[in-house]
Amino acid sequence: MSSWRNLLLRIGDKSSEYSSSSDFKDHIETCFGALRRELGHSSAEILSFLLQCAEQLPHKIPLYGTLIGLLNLEDEDFVKQIVENTQNSFQDALDSGNCDGIRILMRFLTALMCSKVLQPTSLVVVFETLLSSAAITVDEEKGNPSWQARADFYVICILSCLPWGGAELAEQVPEEIERVLVGIQAYLSIRRHTSDSGLSFFEEDESGGDVEKDFLEDLWERIQVLSSNGWKVESVPRPHLSFEAQLVAGKSHEFGPISCPEQPELPSTISAVAYGKQKHDAELKYPQRMRRLNIFPASKTEDLQPIDRFVVEESLLDVLLFFNGCRKECAAFMVGLPVPFRYEYLMAETIFSQLLLLPQPPFKPIYYTLVIMDLCKALPGAFPAVVAGAVRALFDKIADLDMECRTRLILWFSHHLSNFQFIWPWEEWAYVLDLPKWAPQRVFVQEVLEREVRLSYWDKIKQSIENAPALEELLPPKGGPNFKYSGADDQEKTEQEQALSAELSNKVKGRQSAREIILWIEENVYPIHGQEITLSVVIQTLLDIGSKSFTHLITVLERYGQVMAKLCSDQDKQVMLISEVGSYWKNNAQMTAIAIDRMMGYRLISNLAIVRWVFSPENIEQFHISDRPWEVLRNAVSKTYNRITDLRKEISSLKKSVVSAEEAASKAKADLEAAESKLTLVEGEPVLGENPTKLKHLKSVAEKTKEETVSMHDSLEAKEALLARALDENEVLFLSLYKNFSNVLMERLPDASRDGTLQSLKSVNGDSMAVDIEEPSTMEVDDENERPKKSQSNGGKTTNGYNVREKEQWCLSTLGYVKAFSRQYASEIWPHIEKLDAEVFTEDAHPLFRKAVYSGLRRLSNEL
């Protein structure tokens, strides 16, 4: 990479390019000198790379803005081109709904304004254009309020620019910026308050009403405090001030006009369902970037000004966004933000807020695992203790943590410990053994240990808890497969059944084909022993043959899947098959999930059969004490969803191919017609058409392209038919899933909770609850080692133990999973909502069940 590229890329970093200096002014002067020398013969490359750096290293935007300001003194035309390119990129981002592009380019425009490159009035025009669009969107008469998510996003973008340029705007165009702020105040008065219902990390106190400020209201309050403090922000570097005397001589450029896209039209039939569908689409396209997870007590971040917290959060999120895939660079930039205060606690809260973000994190959870691991190594004296404190604080409130967040936390924590030799002071949590088996803290410890065993081996994990040996009780069983026909228990199985199993095993070892084994079963086994014994012997034996490894299992399914398919041709028998898998692998939840998932992949069992098995009595009893049935259900629904997603991608690709094929066919036809109509001289006489050889070739090309177009159309129709069938199957799946949820909840939810609040369910005992489910965390942390002080109540563990009864905990857990499934697959559920409303979400359904579903779907409360 050429030196000027290195200088641009590493500006602001402690690096060899800048002799390890950390002075921003030196960096800018050095980089400016290099660019000025190259500008004459590499201007196009510099322009492109500079804009790329500004867009992908947004935490350095103030530096790039100042640099462009200095270049403006040397070459106004070059900088004018930068402004024009930025305007084009910004318009493209608006048109496509590229949220990150809009937000970052607006900050870039603000930095250009600070460096006298852009006229402040041009920036105000951008603000007012976005604000006008937002106001129209939420207008009940002229707009489409279901798209408030986009309107809010535009206003958030405006407010987000002010920490970077509010002081300059207030100084140079005070009346104009005041007009913008008044406009934002007016917008806030007409928009709807946004509820976090369904997306909050912890269950809200639903009886207390929705009084918390939403993200936009909170940001507006922070900006008001900033304004009253004279726009002073410690966390935003202001390198342009060091060059103010020079920059003022530069020409300020105008920014071309921009336009916001029209909001989608209101549906022809106004209804709560139509409104809900559009609102869901809007929130998908313009998601809220973050939700604050307040893990630590305020004393850990109380020195921060309100706006500094926002700026640091923005910078951390930008680094996470643009260094996804470069974990070490990501960690290095996260710990090196140019701020004059420590922010380890805020950094931990920000990362955990992304890891647990609902409905889904921006990146795969493994990314955050790696970043946390690298941060612990980068800051060994500080960050590991902060992470440990975060784990303890979340553990204290685990009873109130959203079920999906709980699952993510378990998966992250077990993986995190596997990277640090499984070291954890388990003795702190040994008290969970005194809690009932359904207590959330006990279940959490149990599930973490189970996941650790998957990542290592049983004896290693037992050794890791030697400081709390009693916790061995929560480890999964050490035993391997539970083969019914091993001969270990002759009392249970007859010698005849064991002989059948041995004979089948010999046939498989003798490499008999699936067809030969099917004939043997039909002639010698089924007529004598009947369906149940035949199915049990065959499935158990084949599973035992495939039990040595994942590869053995796949081989058995590929070679003898036909045998299973023949035996289990209908849903009832498929449920029996899954039960045999569960019985064989009862000591290994991981292999149970893998075997069932692979069988679904080979279409030996249907998703409906899996749903039926999950809601069988033996599994229902585990809903609140184990993740085992939920893992199988998640895999089944996820695989169904992935099939539909893949079909949609294939159809989208085929549509593009059809267009290309049609264009090619049209061109070939036009070339042929032109050639046929062309007059040529043959032996001095004019003849219609080109020479025969060329005509023959053109005819061949025209026929071939036509055939390709027909073939593409046929493929597209076939895929669309598959998608239509898959969507129909999806509707049946969700109907089955929600009917089962509704039925089991109706049987168990007490009448005392029919007023529709979780609080009434939690207090159904009628006495004061020892568990502190609704209280905010008041965790106090020792400065030395981040361990909870003895006064901590451990999230509901009192001398009386965990006082939520088992039946109520079962209901709380199951309702939590109802909400989690509804939220995760909302995009697939909304198209079928009318049928679900008619058949499942009726007035007869329990109010708490409907509330959980509606909360997951983010449906308005007045639709209840």
Side-chain angles (χ1 to χ4, degrees):
M1 189 183 289
S2 59
S3 60
W4 63 264
R5 282 189 170 89
N6 273 326
L7 289 168
L8 263 179
L9 199 60
R10 293 297 177 187
I11 194 169
D13 302 341
K14 288 183 180 179
S15 63
S16 57
E17 284 82 4
Y18 292 98
S19 305
S20 299
S21 165
S22 58
D23 184 76
F24 286 167
K25 186 177 181 185
D26 290 346
H27 284 212
I28 291 168
E29 287 174 341
T30 303
C31 190
F32 171 61
L35 292 180
R36 183 170 54 181
R37 287 191 296 273
E38 300 289 335
L39 207 54
H41 49 85
S42 302
S43 62
E45 291 89 342
I46 292 173
L47 189 148
S48 174
F49 194 72
L50 183 51
L51 288 176
Q52 196 177 350
C53 286
E55 290 178 22
Q56 297 189 22
L57 299 170
H59 56 291
K60 298 184 181 183
I61 277 178
L63 303 177
Y64 293 126
T66 305
L67 192 59
I68 294 168
L70 293 174
L71 290 172
N72 192 37
L73 301 173
E74 295 289 322
D75 191 337
E76 290 180 1
D77 291 336
F78 173 77
V79 173
K80 183 181 179 183
Q81 188 64 48
I82 287 180
V83 173
E84 289 174 356
N85 283 20
T86 304
Q87 192 255 335
N88 293 332
S89 298
F90 187 54
Q91 186 62 61
D92 289 344
L94 283 171
D95 293 339
S96 62
N98 178 356
C99 293
D100 290 318
I102 296 168
R103 179 178 52 79
I104 288 165
L105 286 171
M106 285 184 68
R107 190 189 307 172
F108 183 51
L109 293 177
T110 305
L112 294 181
M113 181 274 301
C114 292
S115 300
K116 313 299 181 186
V117 171
L118 191 70
Q119 293 182 4
T121 51
S122 291
L123 185 60
V124 170
V125 169
V126 172
F127 290 170
E128 290 182 330
T129 303
L130 294 179
L131 186 55
S132 173
S133 172
I136 291 171
T137 298
V138 297
D139 188 288
E140 296 282 352
E141 295 178 2
K142 300 177 184 176
N144 184 352
S146 63
W147 276 76
Q148 181 180 307
R150 184 172 73 182
D152 280 358
F153 170 73
Y154 285 169
V155 177
I156 287 170
C157 284
I158 297 169
L159 292 175
S160 298
C161 291
L162 298 181
W164 277 266
E168 283 72 16
L169 288 168
E171 179 186 337
Q172 297 173 41
V173 284
E175 293 180 3
E176 287 86 347
I177 193 59
E178 183 61 27
R179 189 171 67 232
V180 170
L181 295 176
V182 169
I184 292 173
Q185 180 75 68
Y187 170 79
L188 286 165
S189 69
I190 60 173
R191 69 183 281 274
R192 279 190 178 189
H193 169 84
T194 303
S195 167
D196 265 353
S197 175
L199 298 178
S200 53
F201 302 108
F202 300 101
E203 295 290 349
E204 310 92 337
D205 183 357
E206 295 171 31
S207 61
D210 200 353
V211 294
E212 286 291 316
K213 293 187 292 291
D214 64 29
F215 186 82
L216 176 53
E217 292 163 351
D218 177 80
L219 179 56
W220 171 242
E221 189 174 283
R222 289 169 193 264
I223 293 297
Q224 286 181 306
V225 173
L226 175 63
S227 174
S228 64
N229 289 343
W231 302 99
K232 293 175 184 174
V233 190
E234 286 189 347
S235 50
V236 174
R238 301 170 66 77
H240 61 278
L241 295 179
S242 301
F243 301 92
E244 197 166 20
Q246 298 159 256
L247 294 173
V248 74
K251 177 186 176 182
S252 293
H253 302 270
E254 290 188 3
F255 195 67
I258 55 144
S259 60
C260 298
E262 296 292 325
Q263 71 266 13
E265 292 183 7
L266 284 166
S268 53
T269 305
I270 304 295
S271 68
V273 168
Y275 180 93
K277 285 179 178 178
Q278 287 211 355
K279 177 172 174 284
H280 172 74
D281 290 342
E283 290 178 346
L284 269 185
K285 193 163 186 179
Y286 296 91
Q288 187 172 309
R289 195 176 186 211
M290 76 165 296
R291 287 180 174 80
R292 288 192 178 90
L293 177 60
N294 296 311
I295 301 175
F296 301 106
S299 59
K300 294 297 179 184
T301 54
E302 65 185 4
D303 293 338
L304 287 181
Q305 290 296 316
I307 200 63
D308 286 323
R309 175 171 185 133
F310 170 75
V311 170
V312 173
E313 286 169 344
E314 282 285 286
S315 300
L316 292 170
L317 293 179
D318 286 339
V319 172
L320 283 168
L321 171 65
F322 287 105
F323 287 93
N324 172 36
C326 308
R327 42 182 276 212
K328 294 193 181 297
E329 287 273 303
C330 177
F333 277 117
M334 288 187 83
V335 301
L337 294 182
V339 295
F341 46 78
R342 295 184 64 172
Y343 53 93
E344 291 94 341
Y345 290 95
L346 180 52
M347 184 158 61
E349 286 189 342
T350 303
I351 297 171
F352 277 104
S353 74
Q354 294 293 286
L355 172 65
L356 304 180
L357 187 68
L358 298 170
Q360 58 191 18
F363 303 105
K364 290 182 179 179
I366 183 68
Y367 174 46
Y368 304 103
T369 306
L370 295 173
V371 169
I372 291 171
M373 186 173 73
D374 287 333
L375 287 171
C376 287
K377 293 175 180 177
L379 298 171
F383 205 66
V386 174
V387 171
V391 172
R392 292 184 178 100
L394 290 168
F395 181 73
D396 286 340
K397 291 194 70 181
I398 203 74
D400 203 24
L401 191 63
D402 179 270
M403 292 306 296
E404 188 175 336
C405 293
R406 217 180 289 187
T407 302
R408 284 192 217 161
L409 187 64
I410 289 166
L411 295 175
W412 164 77
F413 187 48
S414 56
H415 192 180
H416 178 76
L417 292 181
S418 76
N419 286 295
F420 293 93
Q421 301 178 322
F422 298 100
I423 295 171
W424 181 256
W426 289 106
E427 64 274 12
E428 290 180 12
W429 291 349
Y431 69 81
V432 300
L433 290 169
D434 300 330
L435 303 178
K437 64 180 181 179
W438 59 86
Q441 289 187 331
R442 178 177 172 132
V443 174
F444 177 84
V445 173
Q446 170 189 299
E447 292 298 325
V448 167
L449 292 173
E450 196 274 330
R451 292 285 173 171
E452 284 189 343
V453 170
R454 295 191 191 192
L455 295 167
S456 182
Y457 54 95
W458 196 90
D459 291 317
K460 171 71 174 174
I461 304 309
K462 182 190 174 185
Q463 182 185 353
S464 74
I465 58 172
E466 61 187 4
N467 290 338
L471 286 178
E472 183 181 338
E473 181 185 331
L474 299 184
L475 284 173
K478 187 181 181 181
N482 177 42
F483 184 37
K484 288 181 182 178
Y485 307 102
S486 62
D489 189 356
D490 294 337
Q491 303 276 329
E492 186 180 341
K493 298 298 169 190
T494 66
E495 290 183 9
Q496 199 172 15
E497 290 171 24
Q498 288 173 11
L500 281 174
S501 174
E503 187 175 352
L504 175 58
S505 183
N506 289 331
K507 287 179 180 293
V508 171
K509 289 173 183 174
R511 294 189 173 272
Q512 286 196 10
S513 68
R515 183 171 181 77
E516 289 174 315
I517 290 176
I518 289 170
L519 284 172
W520 172 73
I521 291 170
E522 290 177 342
E523 292 174 2
N524 302 321
V525 183
Y526 186 80
I528 300 169
H529 299 281
Q531 173 70 41
E532 192 172 334
I533 290 176
T534 301
L535 190 146
S536 178
V537 168
V538 172
I539 300 303
Q540 286 265 333
T541 305
L542 291 177
L543 286 172
D544 195 56
I545 293 167
S547 65
K548 289 186 176 66
S549 69
F550 179 67
T551 307
H552 281 76
L553 172 66
I554 297 301
T555 303
V556 166
L557 292 178
E558 286 180 348
R559 287 184 183 170
Y560 300 105
Q562 293 175 40
V563 178
M564 296 182 181
K566 185 75 175 176
L567 272 176
C568 308
S569 54
D570 59 45
Q571 197 178 109
D572 290 338
K573 296 186 183 74
Q574 288 175 13
V575 174
M576 292 170 68
L577 187 159
I578 301 169
S579 296
E580 291 299 334
V581 174
S583 169
Y584 182 84
W585 287 114
K586 73 175 186 179
N587 296 327
N588 193 321
Q590 182 180 23
M591 283 307 300
T592 302
I594 287 174
I596 293 172
D597 183 70
R598 288 294 82 209
M599 287 178 175
M600 183 179 169
Y602 286 111
R603 300 188 180 274
L604 302 177
I605 53 178
S606 69
N607 49 22
L608 294 176
I610 294 173
V611 170
R612 273 185 56 185
W613 176 77
V614 167
F615 284 91
S616 59
E618 64 269 23
N619 284 320
I620 289 172
E621 297 307 316
Q622 294 186 61
F623 277 8
H624 58 314
I625 58 174
S626 172
D627 188 54
R628 185 185 183 112
W630 299 117
E631 182 181 8
V632 171
L633 185 58
R634 282 195 301 268
N635 288 346
V637 180
S638 178
K639 190 173 284 291
T640 305
Y641 170 75
N642 290 339
R643 283 175 183 167
I644 291 173
T645 303
D646 291 343
L647 280 170
R648 284 180 176 142
K649 287 178 182 175
E650 288 171 17
I651 287 171
S652 176
S653 177
L654 275 171
K655 283 181 176 177
K656 292 175 183 175
S657 299
V658 165
V659 171
S660 299
E662 286 176 342
E663 288 173 355
S666 177
K667 184 178 182 301
K669 184 180 177 183
D671 289 346
L672 178 60
E673 289 174 350
E676 287 175 338
S677 63
K678 189 174 181 182
L679 287 174
T680 55
L681 291 174
V682 178
E683 296 179 359
E685 295 292 326
V687 177
L688 199 62
E690 291 204 16
N691 67 72
T693 306
K694 186 172 182 181
L695 275 177
K696 185 178 179 181
H697 171 70
L698 290 172
K699 282 179 182 177
S700 172
V701 170
E703 287 171 4
K704 187 178 179 181
T705 53
K706 186 177 180 181
E707 287 172 5
E708 286 178 356
T709 303
V710 171
S711 174
M712 287 289 182
H713 274 291
D714 290 344
S715 298
L716 180 60
E717 286 178 12
K719 290 292 182 185
E720 285 177 338
L722 284 174
L723 178 60
R725 191 175 77 180
L727 290 172
D728 289 341
E729 291 173 357
N730 213 29
E731 182 179 76
V732 174
L733 170 65
F734 283 117
L735 278 168
S736 172
L737 180 61
Y738 281 116
K739 281 178 181 176
N740 277 289
F741 269 131
S742 181
N743 291 339
V744 296
L745 282 163
M746 187 63 83
E747 291 169 7
R748 290 164 175 77
L749 280 168
D751 289 337
S753 66
R754 289 191 68 86
D755 62 346
T757 65
L758 277 178
Q759 189 57 46
S760 63
L761 176 59
K762 292 167 184 173
S763 58
V764 75
N765 293 344
D767 55 9
S768 59
M769 306 271 296
V771 62
D772 206 7
I773 291 177
E774 296 295 340
E775 288 295 317
S777 175
T778 55
M779 175 180 169
E780 297 176 36
V781 184
D782 288 327
D783 291 333
E784 294 294 323
N785 55 15
E786 296 303 318
R787 297 191 179 185
K789 292 182 180 177
K790 295 298 182 183
S791 61
Q792 179 62 33
S793 68
N794 291 317
K797 180 189 180 290
T798 67
T799 53
N800 298 323
Y802 182 76
N803 284 4
V804 174
R805 298 186 309 194
E806 182 169 13
K807 184 178 179 182
E808 283 67 45
Q809 184 59 54
W810 184 96
C811 294
L812 287 168
S813 298
T814 305
L815 286 169
Y817 281 112
V818 169
K819 180 164 74 171
F821 275 102
S822 303
R823 179 174 51 220
Q824 187 172 359
Y825 299 103
S827 295
E828 300 304 318
I829 294 168
W830 271 109
H832 310 299
I833 200 70
E834 287 89 349
K835 190 159 188 176
L836 286 164
D837 278 347
E839 297 189 23
V840 188
F841 310 147
T842 63
E843 291 298 321
D844 295 332
H846 199 287
L848 282 176
F849 165 64
R850 286 190 293 127
K851 195 178 190 73
V853 174
Y854 285 13
S855 179
L857 295 177
R858 303 267 292 148
R859 237 173 142 171
L860 295 178
S861 57
N862 59 16
E863 293 174 50
L864 280 170

